[in-house]
Amino acid sequence: MNLPAPILRFLGAAGTGDTMAVLADVALSPDRLYRVVEEVGGCIAWGGALELAPADDILITVERPMEIDTEAQMVASILAKKKTAGATHVVIDIPVGPSTKVRTPELAEHVGASFKVVGERIGLRLETVTTQALGPIGYGIGPRLEALDVLSVLRCEPGAPADLREKSLMLAGRLLEMTGVEPASRGYEAARRTLDSGAALKRFDRIMDAQGRREMPPQAPLRRSVAAGQSGRIAQIDCWEISRIAKRAGAPSNASAGVKLYKSIGDKVMRGEPIFEIHAESDSQLQAALEYGNSVRRLVRYDEDP
């Protein structure tokens, strides 16, 4: 396949480190990280504090404000940190959709091949998983709101986001099969049992305690809901634009800022019904997010009347 090296749009209003930082200390030294892993079997830390890939850290500080992310840099950034941290098996999720970094199946195949080639060259056993993405996963966009989604799934709460739960189980299952912990086609069920039994939550609690548990920050003081412009069934939510709204609200610098979705793909809505809520720390950020949201055409797309 002869595709040009594309410029991929940078999406995240909160990275994994930003979200975990709401719950526990993530600025761990290498010695402390390895102690945590030895003690509890897992760790979620900020790579910048570890200096796993210092050149990449510099590039990210330049690329994030400019909202660009090249394919080569993305592959190098992800795999360099995995290799330096001592990983041997890696599962890469490649969401594909009209408003994600990777927009077509053909580009997903190209990006996946790049991951596999580089992974093989540096001694990683790597698999890619292509998933359809017509909107954000979970209800929250922003560190605190995403952390609440994670805890809701781990606690098996009735209102936990089903899409986040299912994707987590699928990816965990693939990794269990890759590492030989579970036989082929049995990984998903093993992951589901671990989650539903409460074992996953107990282990995550131990990880937070080992890293240094933090108190959840309070809800953002300023919140404003945005209503549906028409009636219909939601067919797509623009990941790129909803992330930009969250950034204008102050995420991820302000941990409590972001966007909370009231509706997901496939839900029916009536004109004037709230579909998401903007959370902000200051009035200026709230207004900037509202103005940007109102200026975006077809942020939400509908496929039929209810």
Side-chain angles (χ1 to χ4, degrees):
M1 184 179 300
N2 186 22
L3 292 175
I7 298 294
L8 306 174
R9 296 200 295 183
F10 187 92
L11 293 178
T16 304
D18 298 316
T19 301
M20 185 64 177
V22 170
L23 305 171
D25 184 13
V26 296
L28 309 184
S29 67
D31 287 344
R32 188 177 170 198
L33 181 145
Y34 286 117
R35 285 199 302 272
V36 170
V37 172
E38 289 175 359
E39 178 185 346
V40 297
C43 184
I44 302 175
W46 175 51
L50 300 169
E51 296 187 347
L52 297 176
D56 177 61
D57 294 333
I58 294 171
L59 291 173
I60 287 175
T61 63
V62 175
E63 290 179 329
R64 176 172 282 190
M66 297 175 66
E67 298 182 330
I68 62 172
D69 193 5
T70 66
E71 177 200 331
Q73 172 61 14
M74 177 181 68
V75 172
S77 174
I78 292 172
L79 296 188
K81 291 182 172 66
K82 302 292 185 291
K83 180 64 177 179
T84 308
T88 57
H89 296 69
V90 178
V91 174
I92 301 291
D93 175 38
I94 304 179
V96 179
S99 61
T100 63
K101 289 184 180 183
V102 180
R103 295 188 173 188
T104 66
E106 293 77 17
L107 182 54
E109 182 181 349
H110 177 72
V111 172
S114 296
F115 272 115
K116 290 178 181 177
V117 168
V118 176
E120 182 179 333
R121 293 285 182 88
I122 62 175
L124 291 175
R125 182 176 175 186
L126 183 146
E127 290 187 10
T128 60
V129 178
T130 300
T131 54
Q132 185 182 47
L134 298 176
I137 294 291
Y139 303 133
I141 299 96
R144 178 182 182 274
L145 294 170
E146 292 181 31
L148 290 174
D149 279 350
V150 170
L151 292 177
S152 183
V153 169
L154 286 168
R155 292 166 179 165
C156 299
E157 296 175 351
D163 53 0
L164 178 60
R165 171 187 165 93
E166 287 304 306
K167 174 169 275 196
S168 301
L169 291 175
M170 181 270 292
L171 294 173
R174 289 291 291 271
L175 194 57
L176 289 172
E177 294 169 8
M178 275 183 69
T179 55
V181 174
E182 292 291 330
S185 303
R186 298 291 297 276
Y188 176 92
E189 181 59 26
R192 187 194 64 76
R193 289 195 306 269
T194 302
L195 179 61
D196 290 346
S197 69
L201 176 60
K202 290 180 181 177
R203 183 58 58 95
F204 189 65
D205 277 333
R206 290 181 62 196
I207 290 172
M208 288 191 291
D209 287 337
Q211 291 187 208
R213 186 187 293 264
R214 290 176 172 171
E215 184 177 350
M216 176 75 72
Q219 182 173 244
L222 302 176
R223 302 177 298 280
R224 184 77 60 82
S225 62
V226 176
Q230 68 180 77
S231 299
R233 187 187 303 272
I234 296 178
Q236 180 189 327
I237 299 174
D238 193 307
C239 300
W240 164 252
E241 297 295 3
I242 205 80
S243 178
R244 296 190 84 179
I245 293 173
K247 288 179 180 179
R248 281 160 174 74
S253 298
N254 294 334
S256 296
V259 173
K260 179 180 180 180
L261 299 175
Y262 291 142
K263 299 293 182 179
S264 300
I265 304 301
D267 288 348
K268 292 182 178 180
V269 297
M270 299 300 293
R271 179 184 173 89
E273 182 180 4
I275 53 175
F276 66 88
E277 183 178 68
I278 298 172
H279 291 213
E281 296 283 344
S282 70
D283 185 66
S284 61
Q285 289 171 320
L286 178 63
Q287 292 305 315
L290 284 168
E291 289 173 9
Y292 185 81
N294 290 331
S295 72
V296 177
R297 294 184 178 181
R298 308 204 71 183
L299 173 66
V300 179
R301 291 177 170 79
Y302 306 87
D303 61 6
E304 62 181 49
D305 289 335

